[in-house]
């Protein structure tokens, strides 16, 4: 997009820099060429749309508890890095979600990963697996949300939680969450692909919206829900507050270093936007930069730390309330809280503009907030208002901004 003078500027100075793209303990790899088409709804989705579903699932064979070794073999070497199958363990908050979990298991071909490296997909129930590393029972006990997070899919290793929920959107109830311990093809901005080791909370969930004008602002609601959830957890457990801040548009920072990121994608179908929101949060990887629990240990003499299950449940409890406010009253009702949490109020950004045949010109603008379309609102030295857009080429949004004059 062109700026007001018809040039394509880029930011050359920014006091908030991205110290390391590995700050989540992640490694960027080649873009993922997999298609993003959604599967069509099937009987499983139709059944759960009638939440009064009480029909009996097909008869099941007796279940034998799995040993840890047997679960590892089911995962096709998910714990040793080589294998030919992927395990998905399903758990529900209520008998209704448990019914759907059993239905999905009975249809062994229902959930697909569409990834060559995933191999065969094995669907299990919570009662089938021996002590997964994610305690779904503890998580469900802390979850109070009535719409989100009530059907959980956990896997020890996945190509991408985002791909799983997006490619199976029609098979799963809205609000389904997928969690994994290790992710080898996580999705990022501009088709970046991320490898994520143990020690992170990695999850994606689904939702629907009708108003496309609000859609660009959804990522800010998700970011705010993460920061508010962690704030409440620390307060409830008597822990010192972690000063987690939002770096526009979709990064989470702690003590000046990146500890998390958010990605929201959508498709339009039947007058609804089908949205998949993905979150990565570094809890325990102290290298190469920072993680939540390491910072907690530095400022707290106790042994308490944040658990993935606690954070995930608290996130959905917060997000459900914020999302309702967002849909009913718009993002304006959340702006004050959002601006208290983000990094950019009053931030000065130097933009370099160059027109053909003209010398390069440095222009300083000051960030004031967000525009109604979700971009940065800034005021120039000429006291005129500008909307700042990313140019789409830079890894860090603040390394490439285009200013557009507002009338």
């Amino acid at each position: 997009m062109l700026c007001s003078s018809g040039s394509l500027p880029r930011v050359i100075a920014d006091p908030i820099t991205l110290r390391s793209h590995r700050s989540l303990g992640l490694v960027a790899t080649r873009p993922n060429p997999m298609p993003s088409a959604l599967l069509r709804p099937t009987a499983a989705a139709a059944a759960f749309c009638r939440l009064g579903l009480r029909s009996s699932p097909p008869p099941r064979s007796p279940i034998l508890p799995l040993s840890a070794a047997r679960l590892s073999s089911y995962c096709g070497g998910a714990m040793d890095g080589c294998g030919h199958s992927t395990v998905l363990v399903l758990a529900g908050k209520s008998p209704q979600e448990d019914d759907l979990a059993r239905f999905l298991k009975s249809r062994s071909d229902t959930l697909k990963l569409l990834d060559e490296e995933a191999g065969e997909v094995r669907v299990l129930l919570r009662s089938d697996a021996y002590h997964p590393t994610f305690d779904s029972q503890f998580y469900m006990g802390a979850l109070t949300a009535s719409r989100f997070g009530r059907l959980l899919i956990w896997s020890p290793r996945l190509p991408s939680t985002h791909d799983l929920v997006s490619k199976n959107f029609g098979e799963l109830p809205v609000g389904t969450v997928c969690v994994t311990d290790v992710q080898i093809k996580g999705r990022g901005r501009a088709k970046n692909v991320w490898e994520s080791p143990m020690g992170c909370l990695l999850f994606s969930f689904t939702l629907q919206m009708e108003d496309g004008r609000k859609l660009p602002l959804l990522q800010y609601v998700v970011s705010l829900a993460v920061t508010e959830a962690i704030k409440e957890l620390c307060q409830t457990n008597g822990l010192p507050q972690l000063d987690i801040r939002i770096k526009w548009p979709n990064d989470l920072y702690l003590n000046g270093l990146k500890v998390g990121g958010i990605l929201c994608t959508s498709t339009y179908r039947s007058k609804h936007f089908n949205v998949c929101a993905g979150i990565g949060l570094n809890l325990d990887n102290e290298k190469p930069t920072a993680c939540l629990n390491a910072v907690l240990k530095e400022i707290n003499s106790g042994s308490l730390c944040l658990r993935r299950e606690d954070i995930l449940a608290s996130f959905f409890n917060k997000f459900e309330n914020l999302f309702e406010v967002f849909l009913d009253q718009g993002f304006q009702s959340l702006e004050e809280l959002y601006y208290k949490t983000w990094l950019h109020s009053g931030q000065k950004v130097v933009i370099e503009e160059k027109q053909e045949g003209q010398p390069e010109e440095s222009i300083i603008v000051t960030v004031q907030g967000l525009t109604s379309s979700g971009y940065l609102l800034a005021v120039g030295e000429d006291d005129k208002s500008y909307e700042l857009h990313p140019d789409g080429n830079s890894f860090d949004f603040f390394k490439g901004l285009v200013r557009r004059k507002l009338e």
Side-chain angles (χ1 to χ4, degrees):
M1 185 174 296
L2 296 179
C3 68
S4 58
S5 61
S7 61
L8 284 172
R10 59 183 179 85
V11 173
I12 59 171
D14 173 25
I16 303 167
T17 59
L18 189 62
R19 303 282 183 88
S20 169
H21 72 276
R22 296 173 181 263
S23 55
L24 250 178
L26 310 180
V27 179
T29 59
R30 292 179 301 174
N32 188 345
M34 292 187 296
S36 58
L38 298 175
L39 300 180
R40 294 182 179 178
T42 66
F48 198 79
C49 287
R50 305 187 297 273
L51 279 178
L53 172 69
R54 300 301 301 164
S55 58
S56 300
R60 296 188 296 155
S61 302
I63 298 300
L64 298 177
L66 294 177
S67 65
R70 194 170 160 216
L71 177 60
S72 179
S73 67
Y74 261 178
C75 297
M79 301 176 189
D80 61 21
C82 57
H84 307 287
S85 63
T86 296
V87 164
L88 305 176
V89 180
L90 276 58
K93 170 72 174 175
S94 73
Q96 291 153 323
E97 285 95 12
D98 284 337
D99 282 346
L100 179 60
R102 284 191 289 270
F103 183 84
L104 291 170
K105 180 186 175 182
S106 71
R107 298 278 301 275
S108 59
D109 61 341
T110 298
L111 298 177
K112 294 180 169 45
L113 299 185
L114 303 183
D115 187 281
E116 294 179 359
E117 296 182 26
E120 178 188 2
V121 177
R122 296 177 181 270
V123 180
L124 306 175
L125 302 180
R126 173 170 48 188
S127 57
D128 299 341
Y130 175 82
H131 192 33
T133 56
F134 187 90
D135 190 338
S136 60
Q137 187 171 357
F138 184 90
Y139 159 71
M140 291 296 179
L143 181 71
T144 60
S146 61
R147 295 173 57 194
F148 295 100
R150 296 175 64 88
L151 179 65
L152 168 77
I153 303 172
W154 169 83
S155 179
R157 182 178 185 269
L158 280 177
S160 166
T161 59
H162 211 81
D163 282 344
L164 188 143
V165 294
S166 65
K167 295 176 189 306
N168 294 282
F169 201 105
E171 312 298 330
L172 303 168
V174 171
T176 296
V177 59
C178 178
V179 182
T180 191
D181 296 345
V182 175
Q183 190 168 245
I184 59 174
K185 291 184 179 180
R187 296 176 60 181
R189 190 176 71 89
K191 297 183 179 181
N192 287 318
V193 180
W194 297 90
E195 294 180 359
S196 311
M198 295 286 290
C200 295
L201 172 59
L202 307 163
F203 70 98
S204 299
F205 69 100
T206 60
L207 60 101
Q208 283 186 326
M209 293 179 61
E210 294 183 3
D211 190 346
R213 294 169 298 180
K214 293 180 178 178
L215 193 60
L217 298 161
L218 175 65
Q219 61 185 327
Y220 309 141
V221 182
V222 175
S223 302
L224 189 57
V226 175
T227 60
E228 289 298 295
I230 294 173
K231 183 188 302 182
E232 182 170 282
L233 276 177
C234 290
Q235 188 173 21
T236 301
N237 291 285
L239 296 171
Q241 286 293 331
L242 292 172
D243 190 25
I244 297 183
R245 296 302 188 99
I246 298 168
K247 178 172 184 276
W248 183 85
N250 53 8
D251 286 333
L252 300 170
Y253 270 57
L254 177 60
N255 296 344
L257 299 172
K258 182 178 175 181
V259 293
I262 288 95
L263 174 70
C264 295
T265 61
S266 67
T267 58
Y268 186 73
R269 176 176 291 177
S270 302
K271 299 181 180 180
H272 287 90
F273 290 94
N274 295 334
V275 183
C276 297
I279 295 92
L281 190 63
N282 187 5
L283 267 65
D284 296 305
N285 288 311
E286 297 188 32
K287 295 181 180 180
T289 53
C291 65
L292 302 189
N293 283 328
V295 174
L296 266 180
K297 290 177 183 176
E298 290 176 2
I299 58 178
N300 176 49
S301 58
S303 59
L304 288 177
C305 61
L306 297 175
R307 295 178 54 180
R308 292 185 299 166
E309 296 87 345
D310 279 318
I311 295 177
L312 186 63
S314 183
F315 166 80
F316 282 123
N317 298 341
K318 282 291 181 183
F319 175 76
E320 186 161 279
N321 293 331
L322 294 174
F323 187 59
E324 287 297 327
V325 172
F326 174 57
L327 292 182
D328 293 342
Q329 305 173 32
F331 189 73
Q332 294 84 354
S333 300
L334 302 175
E335 276 187 330
E336 183 177 354
L337 181 60
Y338 181 83
Y339 292 147
K340 287 180 180 178
T341 310
W342 82 335
L343 289 166
H344 308 298
S345 295
Q347 177 185 346
K348 293 188 181 298
V349 178
V350 180
I351 297 178
E352 191 176 79
E353 293 185 349
K354 180 175 177 59
Q355 299 184 30
E356 188 175 351
Q358 300 273 338
E360 240 173 26
E361 181 182 6
S362 294
I363 298 168
I364 299 175
V365 296
T366 304
V367 176
Q368 301 291 317
L370 295 171
T371 66
S372 59
S373 55
Y375 293 108
L376 290 177
L377 173 65
V379 174
E381 293 178 314
D382 55 4
D383 291 328
K384 294 179 181 177
S385 295
Y386 295 89
E387 186 176 65
L388 305 184
H389 295 240
D391 67 0
N393 296 319
S394 302
F395 184 85
D396 185 348
F397 275 91
F398 281 85
K399 296 296 182 184
L401 287 174
V402 179
R403 70 170 189 159
R404 184 177 69 85
K405 183 179 177 182
L406 296 175
E407 299 298 333

